[in-house]
Amino acid sequence: MISFLDLYQVNAPHRERIDGSIERVVQSGWYILGKEGKAFEEAFAAYCETQYCVGVANGLDALTLILKAYEFPPESEVIVPANTYIASILAVTHAGLTPVLVEPDLSTYLIDPALIEAKITPKTKAILAVHLYGKCCDMQPIQQLAQKYGLKIIEDAAQAHGARYAGKKAGNLGDAAGFSFYPSKNLGALGDGGAITTNDPALAERLSYLRNYGSNVKYFNDYIGLNSRLDEIQAAILSAKLPFLEAENQRRQQQARLYLDGINHPDVTLPARTTLDQDAWHIFVIRHPKREQLIDYLKELGIQTVVHYPVPPHQQKAYAEWRDFSLPITEKIHQEVISLPLSPVHRDEEILQVIEAINRFSV
Ligand SMILES: *Cc1c(COP(=O)(O)O)cnc(C)c1O
């Protein structure tokens, strides 16, 4: 069987370091907001090449807290890609703001910068640039628009740890960025975790209060904050794994290259390879017009796949008010995408087996 993603195997090479980290925290007697969290924040800021990092409880909170920290007027609008993972959009809603959906570019699955300007109104305050599947958004036109209209750029980098754009790292491409350390992400904890990176000292300080009841001195509360902290055990585990992230992303790139070179089925649309060596390849997504048949066929051969994602946000029950929206590119993507096995611990032989199976597929 070729698993889609085996998290036990992903963490196995780090097992001793992880065990050592946990033991160290247990022994310390200090479990929330201590030196492990601080050390990880410093290491992750250095990795992202930003001035500041603030650890939080998860990726959704990272994005929500950034949006809250800016204190935009109620009902301000935030531009988001229509095909993003639902969490990007939930963050806007939780911050009391209005998500405005923009179609992606079908060749990259990233927000189409050419379609953003038509959606900007006097209420627009920010663009949420989601680096979906591990590929950075086309930032230059987004930066131009942000400048022209005085908008903040917030990166959703939850799938893009270590990805680059024009030589800069994800997390350092806008005003602030939200990361997730959910176990399956490129840098994964053994539980929930998240972080915000920014070069804005005032924002970083505000966020360090907001994640902790709005307090920086115990029992003195300056803001109406949340409880959203990265705990010491997860921070210690993340510090242990971070030094290996670059090499793990390189393994992902090697597998992406194998897929891109090897799959030659006429009905399969491959992801863009233009930025192969800059992308973090969180997932490798192909399209096929008869997706369900391809999934079943691969399953018969013992090859696991996943669909990211089966239902677009505007067709989710949670956002019933968007039911009548017509977003044909987003809908096509959600009908046709399949994610193939890829991880730092998949072997080349396994990837080659998947390629061969796909190339032999006939409906
Ligand atoms: C995983 C993810 C999130 C949310 O992260 P959590 O830690 O699960 O809350 C947000 N945006 C994107 C694009 C994600 O993939």
Side-chain angles (χ1 to χ4, degrees), residues 57-63 84-89 91 130-133 156-160 178-185 191-194 282 309:
N58 55 66
L60 173 59
D61 281 4
L63 296 167
T84 186
Y85 179 54
I86 193 80
S88 324
I89 294 174
V130 183
H131 307 318
L132 201 66
Y133 305 155
D156 180 342
Q159 302 190 357
F179 284 90
S180 164
F181 305 118
Y182 183 77
S184 66
K185 308 286 178 170
D192 276 312
H282 173 59
Y309 302 90

Side-chain angles (χ1 to χ4, degrees), residues 221-235:
N221 302 77
D222 297 11
Y223 306 104
I224 300 174
L226 273 73
N227 175 356
S228 180
R229 301 170 298 218
L230 179 63
D231 68 68
E232 292 284 278
I233 285 184
Q234 299 306 336

Side-chain angles (χ1 to χ4, degrees), residues 259-270 286-290 294 297-298 354-363:
Y259 277 134
L260 288 166
D261 290 343
I263 298 174
N264 56 24
H265 194 292
D267 298 334
V268 169
T269 305
L270 292 166
I286 63 169
R287 294 205 320 275
H288 191 287
K290 302 227 165 86
L294 179 53
Y297 161 84
L298 292 171
V354 178
I355 292 168
E356 221 176 282
I358 290 173
N359 287 341
R360 281 201 314 265
F361 175 61
S362 60
V363 201

Side-chain angles (χ1 to χ4, degrees), residues 97-147:
L97 308 170
T98 304
V100 174
L101 308 183
V102 170
E103 287 264 62
D105 179 327
L106 188 58
S107 68
T108 61
Y109 309 118
L110 303 170
I111 193 165
D112 187 343
L115 303 179
I116 293 175
E117 194 160 17
K119 297 283 186 172
I120 294 174
T121 74
K123 286 186 176 175
T124 309
K125 293 288 180 261
I127 300 171
L128 195 51
V130 183
H131 307 318
L132 201 66
Y133 305 155
K135 185 188 202 63
C136 289
C137 294
D138 187 4
M139 295 306 291
Q140 206 221 327
I142 294 174
Q143 279 151 359
Q144 274 173 356
L145 285 170
Q147 207 153 21

